[in-house]
Amino acid sequence: MLQPGNRGPGKVPPAKGPDFPTPPVPVSQAVVDCAVYVDGVRRTESHDFRQALAWVRAEGRGFVWLGLHHPSDQQMTDVGEAFGLHPLMVEDAVHAHQRPKLELYDDTRFMVLRTLTYVDHEDDDVANDIVETGEIMVLAGDNFVITVRHGEHTHLAGVRRLLEHRPEQLKLGPAAVMHAVADHVVDAYLRVVGEMESDVDDLEERVFDAPSGDVDIDVVYLFKREVLEMRRAVHPLGLPLLQLSDNKSPIEWSNLTQGGKEIRRHFRDVADHLTTVNDMVTEYDERLTALLNAAATKVSIQMNTDMRKISAWAAIAAVPTAAAGIYGMNFDHMPELHWQYSYPVLVALLLTVCFTLWRVFHRHDWL
C-alpha cells in the first residue's frame, strides 16, 4: 500500500521550477486578422502569415496585411524573422509607451502612433481618468504591412472593413493602410477633444461661480494632467505626418508610381486635422492654466480676508487685555484703585473703545 507522498510505478512528478519552462505561445494567438490583397481586393482563402508572404513574393503582386494585438517578445520575434524586420523594429513593436515617430529601416517604414479615448464619467470629482491612451505601430514594406496594437481601444477591424469596401484606395498598397490607420487615430483625437470641450467649459463655470473657499483645485489639476497626456500623444505626430506628406521627403514607396502624389495628398489632409487637434489641445492647456491661476488667486484672496478679520478681532481684544494687564500688576499706589466708581467707569470705557474699533473696522469691510 502506498503511503501518502509516495509515487507508484509510472507516476510522473508534478512539473515545477525552472526545469519545466512554460511552452511558448504561438503567434496565432496574437493575430487579429491576416489577409492577402491583390489590386485592392481581398483573396478569399485564409492564410498563415508565412504562407501569405510566400505567396505574395512568389506571385510578385499584392501585399499581406497582418494585424497583431499585444504580441509577446517571442511572438514578435517570429514575425520579424518571417518578414525580415530589423531587430530594433521588433523590440520597439513589443514594448509600448513610445513617442510617436516615423523611422525608415532599409525599405521598411516604422510608424508609432499614440491612441486616445475619452472615458465617460458622471462626476469630475470622483473621476480618476478623463483620457486613456494606447499605441498602434505600423510596419510597412513594399509587399506587406503589419499593424501592432497595444491597449483595449481604437480597434482596427473597422478600418480594415472600410478599406475593403474601397478597393480603389486599397490597391495603392501598404501606404493606403498606413494612411487609413493614421486617419483613424487622428479622427479619434477629434472626438476626444470635442468631448473635453464641454468638460472644460463646465469646469470654468464651477471655478468662477463657486465661493472663494469652495474652489476645488484638485479637479483642475486632474484635467491639466490629462491635457498634458494628450499633448504628449498629439504634438509629436506632426513631424511624421509632415514627412509622409512632403514631396521632398526621403520616405518613398517603390511600389507606387501613379498613386504616390495621391497618397501624399491624403496624408496632408490628416496633417491638417492634426493641426486642428493641436490648436484645441493648446487652447485647453492655456484655459486650464488660467483656471489654476484664478483658483489660486481666489483662495489667496479668501485667506487675506480671513487674516484681516482675525487681525481686526485681535485689535479689539487687545484693549481689555491691556487694561487687565495694567490693573493686574498689584501695585499699592495706582490711580483710582480705591475709587468706588472705578470698575463701572473702566468697563464703560472699554466697551466704548471696543465698539468704536468695531465700527471703524466694519466701515472699512474688515468685519
Side-chain angles (χ1 to χ4, degrees):
M1 181 175 179
L2 294 176
Q3 298 297 325
N6 292 342
R7 299 195 305 270
K11 294 287 185 178
V12 178
K16 62 179 181 178
D19 295 333
F20 297 91
T22 303
V25 180
V27 180
S28 59
Q29 295 193 15
V31 174
V32 179
D33 198 355
C34 179
V36 173
Y37 297 89
V38 179
D39 294 329
V41 179
R42 177 171 179 155
R43 293 179 60 87
T44 56
E45 64 268 21
S46 60
H47 291 283
D48 174 80
F49 67 90
R50 296 181 182 86
Q51 297 175 353
L53 183 63
W55 186 93
V56 168
R57 289 176 174 173
E59 293 292 327
R61 58 195 179 100
F63 69 96
V64 181
W65 182 355
L66 173 63
L68 302 174
H69 178 233
H70 199 66
S72 65
D73 289 323
Q74 186 58 50
Q75 290 170 336
M76 198 63 208
T77 299
D78 293 343
V79 172
E81 291 175 353
F83 286 87
L85 302 178
H86 194 281
L88 292 177
M89 193 184 305
V90 173
E91 180 182 355
D92 288 345
V94 173
H95 302 289
H97 308 292
Q98 298 202 34
R99 179 183 175 89
K101 61 181 179 179
L102 176 65
E103 295 179 346
L104 183 63
Y105 290 85
D106 297 328
D107 293 331
T108 304
R109 301 88 180 162
F110 178 60
M111 187 176 187
V112 178
L113 304 103
R114 296 287 299 275
T115 61
L116 297 175
T117 185
Y118 181 80
V119 180
D120 291 327
H121 54 281
E122 296 181 358
D123 190 354
D124 296 336
D125 294 329
V126 297
N128 294 322
D129 290 301
I130 307 298
V131 174
E132 286 185 356
T133 62
E135 282 188 35
I136 294 178
M137 288 86 162
V138 183
L139 303 87
D142 291 336
N143 53 18
F144 69 87
V145 59
I146 304 171
T147 54
V148 182
R149 182 169 60 88
H150 294 272
E152 300 302 325
H153 62 274
T154 317
H155 300 274
L156 297 178
V159 177
R160 188 185 288 261
R161 288 194 299 268
L162 181 63
L163 282 176
E164 289 176 353
H165 286 85
R166 298 176 179 176
E168 70 284 353
Q169 183 177 351
L170 191 55
K171 70 180 181 181
L172 296 177
V177 177
M178 181 175 283
H179 161 262
V181 173
D183 187 52
H184 178 66
V185 171
V186 174
D187 285 346
Y189 291 168
L190 288 170
R191 290 192 295 270
V192 170
V193 295
E195 295 281 357
M196 285 280 291
E197 184 174 9
S198 59
D199 287 339
V200 175
D201 291 340
D202 294 340
L203 191 59
E204 282 183 333
E205 293 181 3
R206 290 177 55 182
V207 170
F208 289 110
D209 293 344
S212 299
D214 296 335
V215 177
D216 190 359
I217 300 183
D218 292 340
V219 179
V220 184
Y221 272 113
L222 169 64
F223 277 88
K224 182 73 172 178
R225 182 192 67 193
E226 298 300 292
V227 168
L228 289 177
E229 185 70 21
M230 293 171 61
R231 285 181 67 108
R232 285 192 286 267
V234 172
H235 185 69
L237 186 57
L239 180 59
L241 291 180
L242 178 63
Q243 292 174 331
L244 290 169
S245 60
D246 189 2
N247 293 326
K248 299 180 180 180
S249 171
I251 305 297
E252 295 290 345
W253 302 88
S254 60
N255 62 337
L256 289 180
T257 55
Q258 302 297 326
K261 292 183 178 179
E262 184 65 22
I263 202 67
R264 291 189 186 278
R265 292 191 186 102
H266 283 73
F267 275 116
R268 277 196 291 271
D269 181 67
V270 178
D272 290 340
H273 292 168
L274 184 69
T275 301
T276 301
V277 175
N278 267 317
D279 292 342
M280 296 181 70
V281 171
T282 302
E283 177 189 347
Y284 296 160
D285 188 32
E286 293 174 352
R287 290 171 64 183
L288 290 172
T289 301
L291 281 182
L292 282 176
N293 295 333
T297 301
K298 292 186 72 173
V299 172
S300 178
I301 292 174
Q302 183 62 38
M303 291 179 60
N304 291 336
T305 301
D306 294 339
M307 290 301 300
R308 189 168 55 187
K309 290 181 178 180
I310 293 173
S311 300
W313 284 114
I316 295 174
V319 175
T321 302
I326 293 173
Y327 283 92
M329 291 185 288
N330 297 322
F331 290 122
D332 290 334
H333 303 286
M334 294 184 67
E336 293 84 25
L337 189 61
H338 300 288
W339 185 36
Q340 61 176 345
Y341 299 108
S342 59
Y343 175 75
V345 170
L346 178 61
V347 171
L349 179 61
L350 292 177
L351 290 176
T352 301
V353 174
C354 290
F355 179 75
T356 302
L357 290 174
W358 181 86
R359 286 292 302 273
V360 172
F361 291 143
H362 189 269
R363 186 180 304 165
H364 290 83
D365 293 329
W366 280 45
L367 291 175

